[in-house]
Amino acid sequence: MKFITIDKKDWAKGIEKSRETYRLFGPVKEKNGFLIKSLDNDMLPDMEYHDSVLSAKSVLFPQSEKMMTTSLDESRDGHHIMNRADADYSPRAVIGLRPFDAKAIQLVKLNFDTKEYRDPYWCDAYEATTFVGLGINKPGFYDFSTSAGSGPFNEEGLDVLLADMDDTYLAKVLTDKGQAYMDACGFKTQADAKESQALIDVLKKEAQKNIVSRIHTDKLKEKTTLELHEAPFWDDIAFSCINCGTCTYVCPTCWCFDIQDETKQKTTSRFKNWDTCMSPLFTLHTTGHNPRDTKTQRVRQRFMHKLKYFVDKYDQGTMCVGCGRCVKSCPVNIDIREVCNLMNAYEKQE
Amino acid sequence: MMGNLLEHMGIEKDRVHFSWISSAEATKFVDVVKEISDKVRAIGPNTKFVKDYI
Amino acid sequence: MNTCINKIREIASKLLENGEVEKVIGFANGTIPMATSPVVINSKQDVDKLVFNSTCGLNLANYVRNQKGKVAVIAKGCDSRNIVTHIVENQVKRDQIHIIGVPCTGMINKKKIEALFGDDIIEFTEDGDTLNVKSSTREETLNKKEYLRDNCTLCMHRNPVVYDDLAGDLVQEQTLENPYPDVDRIEAMDADAKWQHFQELTQNCIRCYACRNACPLCYCPTCFVDESGPQWVGKGQNKTDVDTFHFLRAFHCAGRCTDCGACVEACPMDINVRDFTRKLNKDSFEMFGWEAGLDITKRPPLDVYSPGDPNAFIK
């Protein structure tokens, strides 16, 4: 494995240089907190950032994305035939990605990139993207990633892992994509692999120690779906829920979307918009029947999907990476950690 | 109150008009429409609250 | 406010024991600092779960609809006004609800406190007007009065307007020379500056609809943005669609909003959506001498015709 030392004095220059070949995304401080955004013009990623309110999933899966478009003007060739909309799939890089967000993208990939179906919009964006993660030296209070299959220095899904060493960044180059990005920045000063790994291990150990909050997931797989589904606690969990979409929109692994056609004059376009299982509209049939008509059913669905159906279907752990965003943002403080532990410990009373 | 809220959001006051015209009041209708179009023309095309792309 | 919790528990316990109500709706402690969560208490044994403090910023009137049997609810000044609105609008019957009134000294502005620290807050306690806030790196003692939510600093109805039991002594109401300074600031701008202000305000809106769902006024079976046959508003992130939602959501609250602040409290993106509703509140007051939820016998001004209604706007 190759390691590169980057002097922080050279950081900005290198990032600027990479702009010649990459479109950049990264954390930006806004009035409402940190967001992962496209870094236009001379904006630099804010590497001192705190956890962002929204995850990085929007880099590959924007909240609204134009998929196809066509003309309704019958005098034109190809009218009424939907064609894929123009989009920019030139190389892009996300800088300062949280390791749990990178892991989350790998989980989302299980859905968008399968043997049978391949979502071209997501996959093309994925292939165009280089993921430059930043290890979290001081994990936040809400972080429970270590018990959710990730961690502050987790390398899964990353092309480069940066470790903040005060005056320098130590970059662990994990893939060829990562190497190409380092080259584009002009970062070349190679560091001793063994020594560097040891330095990262120290930070990692220290960071992991700071994560005190955890979930228990070991028994989820052996539970019977129906028993969990009929467990008595769902009404209590759902009572306070106001059925907004906050938890699903801040979640790095929530991948559901809705498809909408919009027409203006002679142009019509098909959009893919984030959707949320918290909304009654999510499951409303054209007949007017709604199989998930009550709040409790919807709340249960969200947790069952993340912590049971996903676990059973993919055998890759839970569909939660422990970022803690939903815990922090939920207006009524419904806490996935509590729900998860409740589900994990549930035994049906005879 | 709706007109006030629109104005509060930055839609120019003269763009939104409310009137009650009976079907028997043809001249009033003409006068009101004239007044509205003059006023709206004076402010120019509206760019706010317009869905500009598809 | 700290002492009233004993009284709340005592009342709740008595009501449940005597079978006067089937359940009590209140707040319970959250799992994270500065958070409380609405909770329903069904039995006397559980009343100790109830808490009441300066973090109970949501509006419990939102939880009393469609309940079976009689329920008791803990109500601050604003909650009680929304209960009145519910009764006037036939969402709940007066005799189906037992109001445990709590005189309120304001709720804290969590985002403002968070902004003081660079890192996450790990502990929060309060004692009267003193707030003790601890992050992983430092600790601060704050004066609650300086960290109230904007709507609480402008509140003139801290005491419940209607109640069956009172869980504390009534507090002195604030008198404000100008109750709408925030609206005045926007009114002073020219049209383009106003537009710019609202464009920036809703710029990061993710349309999670937390503002709508936390609002006790928003009880339509199907909201206009969720209509699908036909669809009324685009569902994507087009700014015009986002603004259409905000504008119409606010207008549906005209003459009904009590400025309880639940919308802002719930917003994950920290958008002060009250900038929309406050203008309507000011207009209601100036045009109709109306403040919502004060009188159980009167319908909101846009619900009724009165010969004295202002009509200068119509040609």
Side-chain angles (χ1 to χ4, degrees), chain C residues 119-138:
Chain C
D119 50 350
D120 291 323
I121 288 161
I122 58 169
E123 207 179 303
F124 171 87
T125 52
E126 62 176 310
D127 182 15
D129 275 344
T130 311
L131 311 174
N132 296 302
V133 193
K134 215 162 115 182
S135 83
S136 57
T137 51
R138 64 199 173 93

Side-chain angles (χ1 to χ4, degrees), chain C:
Chain C
M1 219 142 55
N2 309 33
T3 52
C4 71
I5 187 56
N6 294 328
K7 187 80 180 155
I8 290 175
R9 289 177 186 159
E10 193 184 301
I11 296 166
S13 175
K14 194 193 78 199
L15 289 171
L16 287 165
E17 191 173 22
N18 299 346
E20 286 179 65
V21 299
E22 295 196 12
K23 41 196 161 188
V24 179
I25 295 170
F27 287 99
N29 262 331
T31 61
I32 57 175
M34 292 201 292
T36 41
S37 184
V39 70
V40 60
I41 303 290
N42 296 302
S43 78
K44 196 186 151 200
Q45 289 74 33
D46 290 338
V47 293
D48 284 347
K49 281 189 193 162
L50 290 171
V51 295
F52 194 85
N53 55 42
S54 302
T55 70
C56 299
L58 288 172
N59 192 324
L60 291 183
N62 201 23
Y63 292 84
V64 300
R65 293 184 302 274
N66 307 320
Q67 294 287 349
K68 287 189 196 91
K70 189 164 178 170
V71 293
V73 60
I74 288 142
K76 312 183 280 286
C78 46
D79 301 26
S80 76
R81 291 172 65 196
N82 280 103
I83 292 169
V84 168
T85 307
H86 266 10
I87 295 166
V88 171
E89 297 177 358
N90 298 319
Q91 291 307 305
V92 65
K93 289 203 174 83
R94 178 67 186 92
D95 57 12
Q96 274 182 336
I97 185 161
H98 186 102
I99 304 166
I100 306 174
V102 185
C104 171
T105 52
M107 294 292 138
I108 52 157
N109 185 335
K110 296 164 190 172
K111 298 271 167 39
K112 189 171 170 183
I113 294 176
E114 274 167 12
L116 276 182
F117 298 82
D119 50 350
D120 291 323
I121 288 161
I122 58 169
E123 207 179 303
F124 171 87
T125 52
E126 62 176 310
D127 182 15
D129 275 344
T130 311
L131 311 174
N132 296 302
V133 193
K134 215 162 115 182
S135 83
S136 57
T137 51
R138 64 199 173 93
E139 198 171 343
E140 293 261 1
T141 305
L142 308 172
N143 181 355
K144 176 175 151 181
K145 290 202 171 83
E146 290 164 26
Y147 290 90
L148 289 180
R149 301 187 304 181
D150 292 348
N151 63 310
C152 296
T153 60
L154 298 168
C155 172
M156 296 202 289
H157 300 280
R158 298 177 139 190
N159 292 311
V161 296
V162 51
Y163 50 84
D164 299 296
D165 276 309
L166 206 54
D169 297 330
L170 293 176
V171 293
Q172 174 83 38
E173 293 291 0
Q174 305 192 96
T175 45
L176 301 168
E177 221 164 89
N178 176 9
Y180 300 101
D182 49 338
V183 186
D184 293 349
R185 264 196 301 280
I186 298 171
E187 280 177 349
M189 300 175 188
D190 67 28
D192 289 339
K194 284 175 180 169
W195 182 250
Q196 194 56 31
H197 171 81
F198 282 99
Q199 287 303 297
E200 282 166 19
L201 183 75
T202 56
Q203 185 191 324
N204 287 332
C205 174
I206 53 170
R207 295 186 77 173
C208 66
Y209 300 139
C211 49
R212 175 194 72 184
N213 293 12
C215 177
L217 302 173
C218 284
Y219 55 72
C220 290
T222 307
C223 177
F224 74 99
V225 289
D226 290 336
E227 279 296 351
S228 53
Q231 185 169 310
W232 294 11
V233 190
K235 298 208 171 284
Q237 282 300 93
N238 183 297
K239 199 63 179 44
T240 303
D241 291 328
V242 175
D243 290 335
T244 303
F245 160 66
H246 283 289
F247 168 69
L248 279 174
R249 179 198 73 85
F251 192 65
H252 281 184
C253 303
R256 303 164 65 224
C257 172
T258 61
D259 202 23
C260 71
C263 47
V264 176
E265 180 89 18
C267 178
M269 306 306 285
D270 195 19
I271 300 169
N272 186 31
V273 289
R274 289 171 54 253
D275 271 355
F276 294 94
T277 46
R278 291 278 293 163
K279 166 67 177 165
L280 295 159
N281 290 9
K282 185 186 177 196
D283 279 1
S284 299
F285 187 65
E286 289 180 350
M287 293 161 74
F288 301 96
W290 173 264
E291 287 175 280
L294 297 183
D295 189 338
I296 216 158
T297 64
K298 287 197 183 123
R299 295 195 66 83
L302 297 195
D303 248 27
V304 283
Y305 170 73
S306 149
D309 285 348
N311 56 8
F313 70 97
I314 203 157
K315 278 188 276 284

Side-chain angles (χ1 to χ4, degrees), chain A residues 245-262:
Chain A
T246 301
C247 49
T248 52
Y249 289 172
V250 300
C251 180
T253 66
C254 272
W255 59 45
C256 290
F257 59 86
D258 179 29
I259 291 178
Q260 290 268 323
D261 283 0
E262 294 197 14

